[in-house]
């Protein structure tokens, strides 16, 4: 289906090009996290002159895992704090994968901490495990709150598991996940009251700084900053335009939008001030290069929230968090680029197709002809800049091996840099096919919507 090109601003004011925002390197972020973990282990080592007997080893294991869990909890919150430099440099999808991996690790460490401490104390006191557990929970300071926090953390881990999350709407998962904040808050007092390794000096001060600093950053970037941006830019829905089956483009207008310094390929978390939508901020990618007076997003009906977006009325206020994401021109290192997308994954590629320098080829994968998005727009962009656009339409059995199909469309495929965005199944197949075709792993840039 042909789609109209996005509206052009009636007039533009010439301004100096905005300075490209700073971005943190993934290796630097991981290095900083690892250095903190080593510091926590060094804390236990310096405070433990000797370990003797089974009870001593079990209690020591409980202390180590307790310290590591206490350190990991705020780190995991910081990964999702939407710090702009980290989001731009690492990418929201990669941060989400780190957060998910770290969450599983934290649940395991907390479980070992609880079991080893109870077992070690039981051996020391000559009690059974159940009796010792009851004694610890109800007679040690702050432990009852820590036990509640542990149950909340384990419950959050259960609903965040891939099998459980696939059955939950994004909105339900989002609200349930907020229990993590309460779990960490409940456990903090227990660490200070019973954490002998923290002492009363600089270590305790550093622990306070870690937790209070995390709370301050979360408060600023998750609450205060979005509110301030809303007051400054006053985003509103200008138009909702149908693009295809279950797909609409959303045009937002506002004030001084160039000051957002958004880049093609990035996304915003949008919170629509309309009934049923105002309490969740869902991620949506820019589907056209950002303009000084409007932003365009394209949304596919994948749940209750995204389906309700199609019914929004012009003038609806929108609170936007962002821009976020590292799926931008910053990644480009080669002149020849292949943009490969499917479904709503074509949206960030549409914006990149218009703005990336070099020799570009865009390939859109779709099951049916009516599922192809932006056909007329992409053809016009390709004509204007001398790029190539191809469609791979049809069932998987007819398309055959994706790598061979791409090689027929894109000469010297192995020499291209790849921007890849689409459903996880297609993305994983594409990565395997591209690697088999000789494309180096470092030249494949993948954006996932599974976060």
């Amino acid at each position: 289906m042909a789609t109209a090109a996005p509206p052009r601003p009636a007039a533009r004011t010439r301004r100096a090009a905005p300075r490209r925002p700073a971005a943190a390197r993934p290796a630097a972020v991981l290095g900083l996290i690892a250095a903190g973990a080593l510091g926590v282990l060094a804390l236990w080592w310096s405070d433990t002159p000797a370990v003797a007997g089974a009870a001593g080893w079990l209690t020591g294991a409980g202390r180590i895992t307790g310290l590591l869990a206490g350190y990991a909890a705020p780190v995991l919150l910081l990964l999702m704090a939407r710090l702009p430099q980290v989001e731009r440099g690492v990418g929201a999808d990669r941060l989400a994968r780190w957060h998910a991996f770290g969450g599983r690790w934290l649940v395991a460490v907390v479980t070992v901490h609880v079991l080893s401490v109870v077992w070690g104390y039981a051996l020391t006191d000559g009690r059974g495990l159940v009796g010792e557990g009851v004694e610890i929970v109800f007679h040690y300071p702050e432990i009852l709150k820590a036990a509640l926090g542990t149950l909340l953390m384990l419950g959050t881990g259960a609903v965040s598991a891939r099998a459980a999350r696939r059955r939950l709407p994004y909105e339900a998962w989002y609200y349930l996940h907020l229990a993590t904040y309460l779990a960490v808050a409940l456990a903090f007092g227990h660490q200070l009251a019973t954490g002998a390794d923290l002492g009363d000096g600089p270590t305790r001060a550093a622990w306070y700084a870690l937790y209070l600093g995390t709370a301050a950053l979360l408060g600023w970037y998750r609450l205060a900053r979005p509110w301030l941006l809303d007051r400054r830019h006053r985003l509103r829905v200008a138009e909702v335009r149908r693009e295809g089956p279950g797909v609409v483009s959303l045009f937002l207008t506002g004030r001084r939008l160039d000051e957002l310094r958004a880049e093609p390929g990035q996304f915003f978390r949008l919170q629509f001030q309309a009934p049923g939508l105002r309490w969740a901020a869902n991620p949506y990618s820019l589907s056209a290069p950002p303009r000084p007076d409007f932003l365009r997003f394209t949304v596919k009906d994948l749940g209750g929230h995204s389906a309700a977006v199609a019914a929004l009325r012009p003038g609806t206020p929108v609170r936007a968090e962002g821009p976020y994401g590292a799926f931008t021109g910053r990644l480009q290192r080669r002149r020849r680029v292949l943009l490969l997308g499917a479904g709503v994954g074509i949206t960030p590629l549409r914006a990149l197709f218009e703005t990336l320098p070099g020799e570009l080829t865009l390939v859109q994968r779709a099951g049916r002809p009516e599922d192809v998005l932006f056909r007329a727009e992409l053809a016009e962009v390709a004509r204007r800049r001398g790029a190539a656009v191809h469609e791979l339409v049809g069932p998987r059995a007819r398309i055959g091996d994706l790598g061979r199909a791409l090689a027929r469309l894109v000469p010297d495929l192995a020499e291209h840099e790849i921007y890849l965005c689409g459903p996880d199944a297609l993305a994983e197949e594409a990565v395997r096919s591209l690697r088999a075709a000789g494309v180096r792993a470092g030249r494949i840039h993948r954006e996932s919507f599974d976060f």
Side-chain angles (χ1 to χ4, degrees), residues 83-127:
L83 309 179
Q85 293 84 358
V86 177
E87 290 262 359
R88 291 190 194 99
V90 179
D93 57 336
R94 184 183 293 178
L95 286 172
R97 290 195 295 271
W98 290 359
H99 178 79
F101 173 82
R104 292 189 290 271
W105 186 87
L106 177 59
V107 167
V109 168
V110 168
T111 303
V112 172
H113 168 66
V114 172
L115 293 176
S116 58
V117 166
V118 173
W119 195 358
Y121 280 25
L123 290 178
T124 301
D125 297 338
R127 291 195 184 96

Side-chain angles (χ1 to χ4, degrees), residues 227-264:
W227 183 83
L228 292 172
L229 288 175
D230 176 54
R231 302 288 295 177
R232 182 173 184 80
H233 298 292
R234 299 290 186 180
L235 285 170
R236 297 288 188 274
V237 174
E239 181 187 351
V240 179
R241 181 182 299 173
R242 185 177 182 274
E243 301 285 7
V247 180
V248 297
S249 280
L250 188 70
F251 293 84
L252 304 184
T253 59
R255 303 183 306 190
R256 296 178 288 193
L257 299 185
D258 54 333
E259 294 178 7
L260 289 168
R261 298 193 290 179
E263 299 177 54

Side-chain angles (χ1 to χ4, degrees), residues 170-171 270-272 276-277 280-282 284 299 303-310:
Y170 176 87
E171 295 79 13
L270 302 181
Q271 193 173 14
F272 302 99
L277 298 175
N282 285 26
Y284 296 114
V299 181
H305 189 282
S306 52
V309 169

